[in-house]
Amino acid sequence: MGSNGDSIQRFIKYETFDHIRLWVGNAKQAASFYCTRLGFKPYAYSGLETGSREVVSHVVRNKDAIFVFQSALYPGNAEMGDFLTLHGDGVRDIAFAADDAEKCYRSAVERGATPVKEPWTETDKYGSVKMATISLYNGTNHTFVQRNGYSGFFLPNFTKAEPDPLLEILPDISINYVDHCVSNQPDNKMVEVCDKYEKILDFHRFWSVDDKDIHTKYSSLRSIVMANEEENVKLPINEPAVGLRKSQIEEFIDHYGGPGIQHIALNCDNIIEIIKNLRSRGAEFLPTPKSYYDSLRKKLKDPSLKMNYEIAEDLNDLEKLSILVDYDQNGYLLQIFTKPLQDRPTLFIEFIQRRNHNGFGAGNFKSLFESIKREQELRGNL
Ligand SMILES: [Fe+2]
């Protein structure tokens, strides 16, 4: 890296996740599903009525987690059409809040990112937002969003979304923010993609597991978690590892037609109440075998663990709801995974509550895989 590159590098600041953009066959209905089933609320809209002639956007929000669902409004949108033919509904863009979109873009492209859209500015009476888009691997983009204190609904030329009266009679779901976004990569691509995040976007390796940690007879994976400097943007990158049968990573790649976002984790407090309420909304979660809780109870009593805390939640409640626990000496996390949110077994959501634990649930991967394996079996994909 030359001195010019170094001076650019210091200016780059990815403050946090800004929003997640999904391309879907029917944005209106997808947004409604994420609201009624998963606890988001309508936030903003742009479409024919607001002067957006080509693409409609339904934006939903739960505190700092913002999802944008987009569909084409006319025939012949080859970019969106090709995406849907190949991937089905999926994540097109993970947007980062940035202090200088242009500098982020120039620096990333200089260091090997694929330029997708040159810096541009959108303006309305609430202010202006500058954006620029790159990609590091096929299918998923990153947009840098420089908000300049913009005070309108989501982005310029969006309008406030109509509230959904159904949501008023459903139990409340309050999550905090996007905790991490996981991508699946094909065989032997994980390290290459991680190197790109390091070299091009100044991310660093935050955490990793290999197939010795996560191995069942049928499925295993390797994973490296990439994080920005502030460690509030975390992107775990997975690849399959050799197993006897098809791994869930391979199943994803087959159905998605290449690399892409496998799950988005939403950070929350009070996961027990949230999952209770989500279940009453009809959200579907992966089941956890009873044996998981039997062995958990045993393991937590082991004095050699030297745990300096107690699990605050009642294990019976966790078991009833299929919430998983991962822990070390100093803290623990609670997590649960939805079933795929569209017909293809691709994208799903994780809910995660952290209690002094910065991991991603490696201790649960095995039990999760055994649970996913049963679902794969039902789909004839083992
Ligand atoms: Fe996760």
Side-chain angles (χ1 to χ4, degrees):
M1 181 62 52
S3 60
N4 185 35
D6 287 335
S7 69
I8 289 173
Q9 205 165 324
R10 280 197 298 273
F11 280 103
I12 296 185
K13 224 177 130 201
Y14 313 105
E15 283 156 359
T16 181
F17 290 108
D18 188 277
H19 64 271
I20 315 275
R21 188 178 296 260
L22 298 96
W23 279 4
V24 298
N26 186 330
K28 181 174 182 160
Q29 289 184 4
S32 173
F33 178 92
Y34 278 73
C35 288
T36 51
R37 300 294 180 187
L38 295 171
F40 285 83
K41 292 183 182 72
Y43 173 46
Y45 168 83
S46 95
L48 293 173
E49 301 84 347
T50 67
S52 176
R53 304 301 301 173
E54 300 296 326
V55 172
V56 66
S57 305
H58 290 267
V59 188
V60 304
R61 178 174 190 174
N62 195 325
K63 211 167 172 192
D64 290 337
I66 298 177
F67 287 14
V68 184
F69 296 91
Q70 294 187 310
S71 295
L73 286 166
Y74 281 105
N77 187 324
E79 201 193 359
M80 289 183 122
D82 290 350
F83 180 95
L84 289 177
T85 304
L86 183 61
H87 302 301
D89 291 2
V91 174
R92 175 55 167 167
D93 197 308
I94 295 184
F96 303 133
D99 64 343
D100 189 327
E102 171 127 23
K103 276 210 177 79
C104 287
Y105 174 87
R106 301 274 169 235
S107 150
V109 170
E110 190 178 284
R111 290 186 273 173
T114 306
V116 175
K117 195 170 174 190
E118 286 267 326
W120 80 99
T121 301
E122 296 191 12
T123 305
D124 67 9
K125 63 180 175 181
Y126 299 107
S128 74
V129 177
K130 194 167 194 179
M131 288 173 277
T133 307
I134 56 134
S135 79
L136 299 191
Y137 62 88
N138 275 343
T140 310
N141 293 341
H142 292 302
T143 294
F144 303 112
V145 183
Q146 179 188 335
R147 293 192 161 270
N148 306 315
Y150 179 75
S151 64
F153 294 101
F154 184 51
L155 288 175
N157 306 308
F158 278 69
T159 181
K160 190 179 180 201
E162 292 291 330
D164 178 348
L166 177 58
L167 303 181
E168 281 157 34
I169 59 172
L170 296 178
D172 189 52
I173 311 289
S174 290
I175 60 106
N176 300 322
Y177 51 84
V178 172
D179 189 281
H180 59 276
C181 277
V182 181
S183 72
N184 283 345
Q185 304 292 333
D187 225 355
N188 291 318
K189 287 286 176 198
M190 172 184 72
V191 169
E192 188 184 313
V193 171
C194 291
D195 288 347
K196 282 188 181 176
Y197 276 98
E198 205 164 80
K199 186 181 126 216
I200 296 173
L201 294 184
D202 300 332
F203 279 54
H204 59 274
R205 283 162 160 78
F206 180 77
W207 187 81
S208 74
V209 284
D210 67 22
D211 52 345
K212 286 192 257 343
D213 299 310
I214 305 165
H215 194 93
T216 68
K217 214 163 89 188
Y218 299 101
S219 276
S220 53
L221 66 70
R222 282 182 285 264
S223 186
I224 298 176
V225 179
M226 302 304 293
N228 65 333
E229 198 185 335
E230 294 79 4
E231 300 189 339
N232 54 9
V233 173
K234 296 191 195 86
L235 304 175
I237 318 258
N238 293 341
E239 71 177 7
V242 183
L244 286 181
R245 307 286 277 276
K246 192 190 235 186
S247 81
Q248 60 134 336
I249 311 297
E250 288 172 276
E251 188 195 33
F252 175 98
I253 300 285
D254 287 352
H255 283 273
Y256 200 71
I261 301 302
Q262 177 214 39
H263 76 265
I264 301 163
L266 301 174
N267 184 287
C268 61
D269 307 320
N270 202 359
I271 196 169
I272 288 188
E273 193 189 323
I274 285 173
I275 300 308
K276 237 184 243 166
N277 289 344
L278 285 168
R279 284 187 180 280
S280 76
R281 285 165 172 249
E284 296 179 303
F285 295 94
L286 290 182
T288 310
K290 187 178 180 303
S291 56
Y292 171 89
Y293 296 95
D294 296 342
S295 79
L296 179 68
R297 282 187 183 90
K298 232 176 265 163
K299 280 191 237 160
L300 289 174
K301 278 186 201 132
D302 181 354
S304 69
L305 250 181
K306 295 198 175 80
M307 276 166 68
N308 61 19
Y309 63 93
E310 286 199 2
I311 304 248
E313 292 75 13
D314 185 336
L315 285 183
N316 296 322
D317 287 341
L318 298 175
E319 178 171 4
K320 225 182 286 166
L321 295 164
S322 275
I323 295 168
L324 305 166
V325 187
D326 196 20
Y327 53 89
D328 60 19
Q329 210 182 333
N330 302 313
Y332 63 102
L333 64 79
L334 303 169
Q335 65 184 171
I336 188 168
F337 302 88
T338 70
K339 291 187 178 179
L341 298 168
Q342 55 292 306
D343 287 312
R344 294 196 196 188
T346 50
L347 179 68
F348 58 88
I349 297 276
E350 169 185 354
F351 291 87
I352 183 166
Q353 177 174 5
R354 297 182 179 279
R355 291 200 191 265
N356 200 33
H357 195 293
N358 285 324
F360 295 82
N364 286 324
F365 283 20
K366 185 165 182 269
S367 75
L368 168 69
F369 272 53
E370 280 160 0
S371 177
I372 286 180
K373 190 189 79 187
R374 278 188 295 279
E375 304 272 320
Q376 269 181 282
E377 221 154 16
L378 287 172
R379 294 194 284 263
N381 277 343
L382 261 189

